[in-house]
Amino acid sequence: MATGQIFSRNTQALFYNYKQLPIQRMLDFDFLCGRETPSVAGIINPGSEGFQKLFFGQEEIAIPVHSTIEAACAAHPTADVFINFASFRSAAASSMSALKQHTIRVIAIIAEGVPESDTKQLIAYARANNKVVIGPSTVGGIQAGAFKIGDTAGTIDNIIQCKLYRPGSVGFVSKSGGMSNELYNTIARVTDGIYEGIAIGGDVFPGSTLSDHVLRFNNIPQVKMIVVLGELGGRDEYSLVEALKEGKIHKPVVAWVSGTCARLFKSEVQFGHAGAKSGGELESAQVKNQALRDAGAVVPTSYEAFETAIKETFEKLVEEGKISPVPEIKPPQIPEDLKYAIKSGKVRAPTHIISTISDDRGDEPCYAGVPMSTIVQSGFGVGDVISLLWFKRSLPRYCTQFIEICIMLCADHGPCVSGAHNTIVTARAGKDLVSSLVSGLLTIGPRFGGAIDDAARYFKDAYEKGLTPYEFVEGMKKKGIRVPGIGHRIKSRDNRDKRVELLQKYAHTHFPSVKYMEYAVQVETYTLSKANNLVLNVDGAIGSLFLDLLAGSGMFSKQEIDEIVEIGYLNGLFVLARSIGLIGHTFDQKRLKQPLYRHPWEDVLYTK
Ligand code: Q5B
C-alpha cells in the first residue's frame, strides 16, 4: 500500500454507476470546502453516454458520462480515484478493470456481499501494483476540507456539525461506516477535528486494513494523533498491535474494539458485518483491546470512555505544543434544493404547468376526478372517458353512446381516402407504426375529415343569425368559402352516405332536439339543387349533431358551447376514430409484406 497522502484538494474521481444523490453530496462537500474543481470528473454508466446535470454550489455543471471504464480513464487521465457503486454481482469485475487502468490509484468498493475469493484477487492485484483498495462493503472515506467519497459522513448538516469542511489533526480509521459517522461527531467535539477518516468496510477480507491506514497516517505530518475503531471478529487489529510493538508508529493511537457485549451471549454472535462475529478468544473484543493496550495504544475501559480518552490525548498534545488547534472558519452556505425547501414549507415556487383533466399522483389515476376503479367498475366506455377528459364531466349515456358511434363510423373508410393512402405509402416505405400513422393523420384538414369544427361553426352562426339556406350558401360562395360539411367525392343524392343516415337516425331517436341538424339538412337540400354530390357529409352530420348534443343535453352553458365550438373540439373525434383505421392499414401492409410504393407513370399527366 502507498504511504502517506492518498487524497488532496485537487483529487478527482470517476464514479461508476450513476447515482445522483451521492454524487451531488460529493459536489456539495466540494463547494463547502471551497474547492475550485468538482471532485467528480466523470461518470461511468455502462451502455450510455452524454452528460449529467448536477449542482456545484449554485451553478449547474454538466458532468461527462462514459459507457466504459477505459473511455472514462482516457478522457480524464488525472482522475485517479475510482468510486465503485456497482452491485455486489458486478463490483469485482468492474473494480478489477479499474485497477488495471494505469491512471487509477485508489478504488473504493461500496457493494456489500462481494465474493471473498474475488476480493482476495483484487487485494493481490492492488498490492502487487501499489494501489489502494478501500472496501468492499464500505461507505468510503473523507479527507476533511479536501475530498469525500460518496455518502461518507452523511448529510451536509452532519458534515458541517462535524467540521469536516476543514482539516483538523486527527487521523481516524474504522471498520464500520455507520460508526464512523458517530466518531466524526465525537472527534469534532473533543479535538480540533478530523484530518482524514476511512471506513475500511466490514468484510472478512478488507481491501486495506486498519494498520495499513494507521501506518499511512503516521507518515502524514498534519495528522498528530490517530483514532482507531475496530470490532470483534478477525485478526486485523493484531497487525496494528505488531506495528505498535515494532515502534513503527510514533503518534499517539487511541483505540477501541467494539463488540465487548458478545460475551453476554451464550452462543456465537454475528453482528451486522460479515467479518463481525465472535469466533475464538483471540478474535474477541476484550482480548484485542487488551493487546492494543499492551502494545501502547490508549484503550479505554468502555466505549463510553472512548470520547474522554480521545479528548485527553488531544489536550495533552496541545499542552505539549505538538498541536496548535486550527482556527475556526465559517463554511459557505449550500443552497438548498428547491424540492426539499418546498417540502419543508420554507419557500414557494410558481408552477410551470397547469392541468385540470387528470391526476396520477394518488393511489390510482383519476380522469376529471373519477378514479380508474370507478371507471372500470361502473362499466364506463370510451365515450365516457372522452367526456371526462375532453369535456371534464360525465355526460348522459345517450351522449357518450353518440360519441362512440361517431368513433366507430369514422374509424375507416377504405384504403383510397387521403389518410389511408398516405399511411399505406409510408408503411410500404418501411417506416414504423407511429410514422405511418402520423403521415395519414397529417392529411386530416379542411377538405378531408377535418371539416367538423368549421361545419359546427358555420351552421351555428348561420342558424343563430336566422339565415335561410339560400342566404347562407350564397353568402359563403361570395366569400369564396366552400360550405364545410357539404360535398363528397363519391357520395351523392343517389348514393347516400350510410354513416350520415345512421347518425341522423340515432339522434332522432335519442336527442331532445335536432334543430341544428335539421338546418343542415335544409342547407343540403339547397346545395343538392346545385350539384348532385353536394350532400351533407359525415363531417357536416357530426358537426351539426354535436351542436344539438351540446345544446340539448343541458350539461353545458351557452358560454361553454361557444368555447367548445371556438376552440374546435370536434375534429378530435375524426382524428381519434381514423387513427384506429390508419393503424389497421399499417399492420395490413406490413402483414402483406408490401414493397415500396411507386406511382405508375401512366397515372401522371406530364405536361409543360
Ligand atoms: N363545391 C369534399 O369536392 C370535397 C362544395 C362546393 C359549396 C361545398 C368538397 C369540399 C367541404 C369540406 C368537407 C369533408 C373536397 C368531406 C371526408 C371524410 C371521408 C372522405 C372519403 C372519409 C369534395 C365541384 C363543384 C365546384 C365547387 C362546388 C364542392 N364542395 N360548393 N360548398 N362544400 N367540401 N370535407 O367532389 O361551380 O364547379 O366551381 O371541399 O366537408 O373527408 O370518404 O373520401 O370518411 O374518409 O372534389 O368521407 O365538397 O368537388 O372540388 O370538384 O367541386 O362543387 O365549388 O363548383 P369535389 P370539386 P364549381 S368528408
Side-chain angles (χ1 to χ4, degrees):
M1 178 158 166
T3 51
Q5 304 274 12
I6 52 172
F7 305 128
S8 75
R9 276 174 70 82
N10 298 320
T11 297
Q12 281 200 300
L14 295 174
F15 199 102
Y16 188 88
N17 257 15
Y18 179 61
K19 297 269 184 273
Q20 199 258 346
L21 201 57
I23 300 180
Q24 188 57 65
R25 282 183 169 169
M26 286 177 70
L27 300 177
D28 285 347
F29 175 75
D30 297 346
F31 180 74
L32 206 63
C33 303
R35 273 184 64 127
E36 274 163 22
T37 45
S39 58
V40 180
I43 297 164
I44 302 146
N45 209 18
S48 62
E49 285 178 344
F51 292 88
Q52 277 295 347
K53 279 196 310 158
L54 289 138
F55 281 105
F56 188 57
Q58 200 140 22
E59 305 291 318
E60 270 193 308
I61 54 169
I63 299 192
V65 178
H66 305 275
S67 62
T68 65
I69 294 170
E70 292 74 15
C73 291
H76 310 283
T78 54
D80 55 4
V81 176
F82 185 87
I83 300 175
N84 195 343
F85 264 73
S87 74
F88 73 93
R89 287 176 294 277
S90 60
S94 45
S95 296
M96 187 55 97
S97 300
L99 280 175
K100 287 185 175 165
Q101 303 302 311
H102 73 273
T103 53
I104 298 298
R105 199 174 39 83
V106 179
I107 72 167
I109 308 168
I110 311 301
E112 208 172 318
V114 176
E116 286 172 2
S117 56
D118 290 346
T119 308
K120 283 183 185 169
Q121 284 182 27
L122 291 171
I123 294 170
Y125 187 89
R127 287 196 186 272
N129 291 276
N130 201 27
K131 302 199 177 198
V132 178
V133 176
I134 302 171
S137 189
T138 179
V139 69
I142 187 166
Q143 187 180 320
F147 179 80
K148 171 176 111 81
I149 294 171
D151 291 318
T152 300
T155 61
I156 284 296
D157 285 349
N158 193 53
I159 287 169
I160 293 172
Q161 262 192 357
C162 299
K163 297 178 186 151
L164 292 164
Y165 48 83
R166 52 94 180 130
S169 309
V170 180
F172 168 63
V173 61
S174 156
K175 277 193 179 170
S176 160
M179 283 306 292
S180 62
N181 272 356
E182 176 89 17
L183 261 291
Y184 290 149
N185 201 288
T186 306
I187 292 169
R189 278 202 309 271
V190 297
T191 73
D192 65 353
I194 288 280
Y195 181 80
E196 189 188 310
I198 298 285
I200 62 166
D203 277 6
V204 178
F205 299 103
S208 50
T209 62
L210 296 173
S211 57
D212 286 337
H213 292 286
V214 172
L215 287 165
R216 204 166 53 71
F217 293 155
N218 193 56
N219 293 334
I220 299 175
Q222 295 92 324
V223 173
K224 307 291 184 199
M225 61 177 276
I226 299 163
V227 175
V228 180
L229 181 63
E231 64 187 19
L232 82 168
R235 302 198 173 188
D236 192 10
E237 288 79 358
Y238 289 109
S239 48
L240 179 55
V241 168
E242 287 314 303
L244 283 164
K245 279 187 180 163
E246 287 165 19
K248 289 183 181 165
I249 300 159
H250 313 115
K251 298 176 182 175
V253 174
V254 185
W256 176 252
V257 178
S258 61
T260 47
C261 67
R263 283 205 177 145
L264 301 174
F265 297 89
K266 288 203 172 77
S267 56
E268 192 187 60
V269 188
Q270 165 83 60
F271 290 83
H273 294 139
K277 58 178 172 219
S278 56
E281 187 61 6
L282 272 179
E283 296 185 16
S284 70
Q286 280 82 351
V287 173
K288 292 204 275 189
N289 274 326
Q290 190 56 49
L292 284 164
R293 200 174 286 124
D294 294 345
V298 179
V299 180
T301 48
S302 67
Y303 179 75
E304 289 67 40
F306 199 23
E307 179 171 333
T308 311
I310 297 168
K311 184 172 188 280
E312 286 171 0
T313 307
F314 176 76
E315 285 171 354
K316 190 160 173 259
L317 288 169
V318 174
E319 264 171 40
E320 290 167 1
K322 290 182 180 156
I323 292 181
S324 320
V326 290
E328 219 31 86
I329 52 164
K330 195 170 167 8
Q333 180 128 19
I334 302 263
E336 197 170 347
D337 282 344
L338 189 59
K339 72 174 175 186
Y340 298 118
I342 291 175
K343 214 172 170 187
S344 67
K346 279 191 205 147
V347 297
R348 59 187 183 192
T351 53
H352 295 95
I353 283 182
I354 175 166
S355 173
T356 64
I357 62 164
S358 60
D359 193 340
D360 63 332
R361 292 169 303 170
D363 287 348
E364 56 178 320
C366 291
Y367 293 164
V370 180
M372 213 48 94
S373 49
T374 307
I375 289 173
V376 172
Q377 282 153 19
S378 310
F380 280 19
V382 170
D384 297 283
V385 170
I386 291 171
S387 69
L388 289 173
L389 288 177
W390 294 12
F391 300 102
K392 293 176 56 180
R393 69 204 73 192
S394 276
L395 291 174
R397 183 68 192 127
Y398 81 87
C399 296
T400 58
Q401 202 168 358
F402 176 75
I403 292 173
E404 285 167 13
I405 291 171
C406 291
I407 288 169
M408 288 190 286
L409 295 181
C410 294
D412 195 39
H413 210 219
C416 302
V417 301
S418 305
H421 183 79
N422 256 25
T423 289
I424 289 169
V425 171
T426 310
R428 287 180 57 169
K431 299 294 295 264
D432 59 292
L433 171 67
V434 176
S435 308
S436 305
L437 168 65
V438 166
S439 129
L441 288 178
L442 288 175
T443 63
I444 296 175
R447 293 183 192 164
F448 169 68
I452 310 179
D453 281 318
D454 274 344
R457 280 180 199 125
Y458 282 106
F459 286 142
K460 181 169 178 288
D461 184 60
Y463 179 85
E464 281 168 6
K465 285 182 178 150
L467 299 182
T468 64
Y470 167 82
E471 288 169 332
F472 171 49
V473 175
E474 295 307 323
M476 294 288 278
K477 191 174 176 188
K478 265 196 205 135
K479 286 187 241 166
I481 305 172
R482 289 179 171 192
V483 180
I486 294 288
H488 201 273
R489 293 302 297 264
I490 56 164
K491 296 296 170 188
S492 64
R493 185 202 308 270
D494 312 312
N495 173 27
R496 304 301 285 235
D497 191 331
K498 191 71 188 167
R499 299 172 298 179
V500 174
E501 289 178 359
L502 288 166
L503 289 167
Q504 288 172 328
K505 195 168 168 214
Y506 180 86
H508 271 302
T509 315
H510 296 92
F511 283 22
S513 153
V514 287
K515 61 183 184 185
Y516 288 105
M517 192 264 279
E518 277 167 356
Y519 182 72
V521 170
Q522 287 169 27
V523 172
E524 179 192 43
T525 308
Y526 180 72
T527 52
L528 280 176
S529 72
K530 300 178 88 162
N532 226 14
N533 76 324
L534 293 186
V535 288
L536 180 67
N537 61 37
V538 73
D539 287 18
I542 295 176
S544 56
L545 283 169
F546 227 98
L547 290 175
D548 286 322
L549 181 151
L550 294 171
S553 65
M555 302 285 293
F556 300 89
S557 67
K558 184 181 169 320
Q559 202 186 346
E560 285 175 326
I561 296 173
D562 289 345
E563 193 186 39
I564 288 168
V565 172
E566 191 198 317
I567 290 174
Y569 283 37
L570 307 179
N571 284 346
L573 287 170
F574 192 88
V575 171
L576 180 65
R578 195 50 59 94
S579 295
I580 300 173
L582 299 180
I583 291 171
H585 284 292
T586 307
F587 295 155
D588 197 34
Q589 295 305 306
K590 302 267 182 207
R591 201 166 42 228
L592 294 167
K593 302 197 176 16
Q594 287 299 285
L596 180 66
Y597 177 83
R598 196 173 200 281
H599 204 71
W601 282 324
E602 306 77 52
D603 195 35
V604 176
L605 169 63
Y606 290 92
T607 182
K608 296 210 163 132

